[in-house]
Amino acid sequence: MLGSKEAQDKILEFNYKVRKGSIDLLDSLGLVLSRDIIAGSDIPFSNRFRVEGFAVRAIDIKGADRSYPVRLKIAKQAPARDTVLEPGFCIPVRAGDPVPEGSDCVVGKDTAETGQKDVLVYQECEPGRNVVCRGQDIKKGQAAFSCGHKIEASHVGLLAWLGFKQVEVFLPPRLAILGINRKGVDVQDSPGLTVGSLSRAMGIESRLQQAVYGEDNLQKAIDSSLSENDALIITGDGTVGEYGFINDLMSGAGTELIFWKVNQQPGKNLAFVSRQEKPVFCMGGSIPSLLICFRYYVYPFLARAMGRTDIGGPVVQARALQKVVHRRGRTDFMLVRADRQKGYVFSPACTDRQGLFDCLRDAAGMVSMAEDTGDIMAGDTIEVMLFSKNEKTV
């Protein structure tokens, strides 16, 4: 039986056909660039002032201080591209205004006194002060953003500033989720909705379907899901048994069982299959098992398929509030509650005094206890894999 790390490695080694495409800038948030963004011009486009104040010639105010202020005449109210600053004059400017010819620095308003037609300057200013030179940030032809860069909200405006309306990105996988129910049982697809919400939290829209175990349409549902999507997750409602439907899945043409069963609890019956050269995950229907298997196996796969480098997902180093017993020889996963207000501490989400509903409601992440590790002692520091960046607190 495979260990959990071996199973994860086999999943990440799968030869997934990455999708790339052009997408509108506003829709690119959270996606990863599939090619470099090259600046078509210098940034900034011209010499610009960094702060609000008065554009001056440094030589005109050399030696100025509170005891010996320098008086300059106000030339005009705003600089234009063809403005020329004459000796003995100054121009009121705002941050971002172009630097007029003749000016080489800016005097801040806190070091000057404004009159109706002139300004008293109380501090000298060296050339280049508060001036951003053309191309200081990025030169024309340089990469403003590199391939593999994840687009955050703060980057969208910068890309628009560079003149881009669309960008080339790694497209999210088209994910299908097939929930299998026992014949005659009409239930809400809790497992499918659980997996669907986990994938949506990653920015992946998924297609949810249901099929009845034991009926002829199961094969058709599997093949239909794969023909229209890039990956498939099959799960059940807990009544199917020990993966009876794995036989139905394996009976199709072009199918290879990569592994079935992992030396772990919960989620021992995890299966990973290649069908039509596409990945198929088979996971048990219990919500704790789904949370754990998705976070440890599916999340890294989908993140890599999206071109992300942070495939491990959000993690924190947290201190154990109590002893956790672990039997060596298998990997055990434990749902935990976290409290970052106390410096990231954690405790088991499930206790003898707590039911399953409370356990799942309070779970902020999980801890992996590998085969060769022993008990976790109170006060030990261990890595907690969070289910999301906005982790819950106790």
Side-chain angles (χ1 to χ4, degrees):
M1 193 183 304
L2 285 179
S4 59
K5 186 63 172 63
E6 292 176 283
Q8 187 188 66
D9 289 343
K10 284 186 176 293
I11 290 172
L12 293 177
E13 290 167 1
F14 186 85
N15 186 25
Y16 174 78
K17 295 178 176 62
V18 176
R19 298 172 60 233
K20 302 178 183 179
S22 181
I23 194 168
D24 289 344
L25 193 54
L26 194 57
D27 295 329
S28 69
L29 184 63
L31 300 181
V32 175
L33 292 171
S34 62
R35 60 182 298 180
D36 292 346
I37 296 292
I38 304 300
S41 60
D42 292 335
I43 301 294
F45 309 116
S46 62
N47 294 344
R48 301 275 170 173
F49 291 121
R50 191 188 302 274
V51 298
E52 184 178 3
F54 300 94
V56 301
R57 293 170 9 120
I59 193 171
D60 286 347
I61 59 172
K62 188 174 179 60
D65 61 22
R66 286 287 174 181
S67 301
Y68 300 96
V70 173
R71 186 182 301 273
L72 300 175
K73 295 180 181 179
I74 298 177
K76 57 189 335 183
Q77 290 304 311
R81 293 186 181 276
D82 57 352
T83 301
V84 177
L85 182 65
E86 302 292 341
F89 286 81
C90 67
I91 300 175
V93 295
R94 298 169 299 179
D97 280 346
V99 177
E101 184 180 344
S103 172
D104 55 11
C105 62
V106 173
V107 172
K109 287 189 173 182
D110 57 338
T111 59
E113 183 179 332
T114 308
Q116 289 186 342
K117 296 183 179 181
D118 55 21
V119 172
L120 287 177
V121 179
Y122 295 102
Q123 186 177 16
E124 66 179 7
C125 179
E126 66 275 10
R129 184 176 180 183
N130 295 323
V131 174
V132 180
C133 297
R134 174 174 178 168
Q136 181 172 315
D137 293 338
I138 301 172
K139 296 288 187 183
K140 179 180 179 180
Q142 285 185 336
F145 293 94
S146 300
C147 174
H149 188 96
K150 185 179 178 182
I151 301 173
E152 305 289 355
S154 59
H155 304 148
V156 174
L158 294 177
L159 289 165
W161 186 23
L162 290 168
F164 288 86
K165 295 181 179 180
Q166 292 189 321
V167 287
E168 297 288 329
V169 297
F170 293 99
L171 297 175
R174 293 168 298 193
L175 179 64
I177 300 170
L178 182 59
I180 299 180
N181 292 324
R182 187 172 58 178
K183 187 175 182 178
V185 178
D186 183 16
V187 296
Q188 175 85 337
D189 187 12
S190 178
L193 291 171
T194 298
V195 177
S197 63
L198 290 167
S199 60
R200 181 168 292 192
M202 296 183 67
I204 300 173
E205 297 294 331
S206 55
R207 177 188 173 193
L208 274 67
Q209 288 182 270
Q210 281 191 288
V212 176
Y213 174 64
E215 291 194 350
D216 294 338
N217 67 355
L218 181 55
Q219 279 291 326
K220 293 180 180 178
I222 292 172
D223 289 332
S224 173
S225 296
L226 285 172
S227 66
E228 300 171 2
N229 297 278
D230 306 306
L232 172 63
I233 296 176
I234 300 178
T235 185
D237 63 358
T239 64
V240 175
E242 194 184 55
Y243 275 82
F245 60 81
I246 198 72
N247 296 322
D248 297 287
L249 176 62
M250 293 303 299
S251 63
T255 305
E256 176 192 356
L257 179 63
I258 298 175
F259 67 79
W260 179 19
K261 296 191 177 184
V262 182
N263 185 23
Q264 68 177 57
Q265 284 294 340
K268 173 184 176 181
N269 282 318
L270 175 71
F272 186 59
V273 176
S274 173
R275 180 159 172 144
Q276 300 177 13
E277 298 183 344
K278 296 179 180 180
V280 180
F281 296 86
C282 299
M283 301 190 294
S286 74
I287 295 180
S289 177
L290 287 172
L291 289 172
I292 286 166
C293 287
F294 187 97
R295 181 64 180 81
Y296 192 79
Y297 299 105
V298 184
Y299 186 108
F301 177 85
L302 295 177
R304 175 165 290 181
M306 296 170 71
R308 288 168 47 177
T309 57
D310 58 331
I311 64 172
V315 298
V316 293
Q317 297 295 318
R319 178 171 49 84
L321 290 177
Q322 63 189 77
K323 180 180 178 180
V324 179
V325 177
H326 175 238
R327 188 186 73 184
R328 293 178 183 269
R330 77 177 183 197
T331 298
D332 284 336
F333 292 99
M334 177 180 64
L335 298 178
V336 299
R337 58 168 67 88
D339 186 352
R340 62 179 176 182
Q341 295 178 348
K342 297 179 180 179
Y344 283 117
V345 296
F346 76 89
S347 60
C350 301
T351 65
D352 294 337
R353 294 173 296 176
Q354 188 176 32
L356 180 61
F357 185 90
D358 288 343
C359 166
L360 295 173
R361 182 192 60 197
D362 294 343
M366 67 185 200
V367 166
S368 170
M369 292 170 284
E371 300 175 21
D372 57 350
T373 59
D375 299 343
I376 298 173
M377 307 304 294
D380 285 352
T381 299
I382 194 167
E383 185 176 85
V384 173
M385 292 175 276
L386 302 173
F387 293 131
S388 70
K389 290 185 178 179
N390 300 315
E391 67 276 10
K392 303 172 186 176
T393 57
V394 176

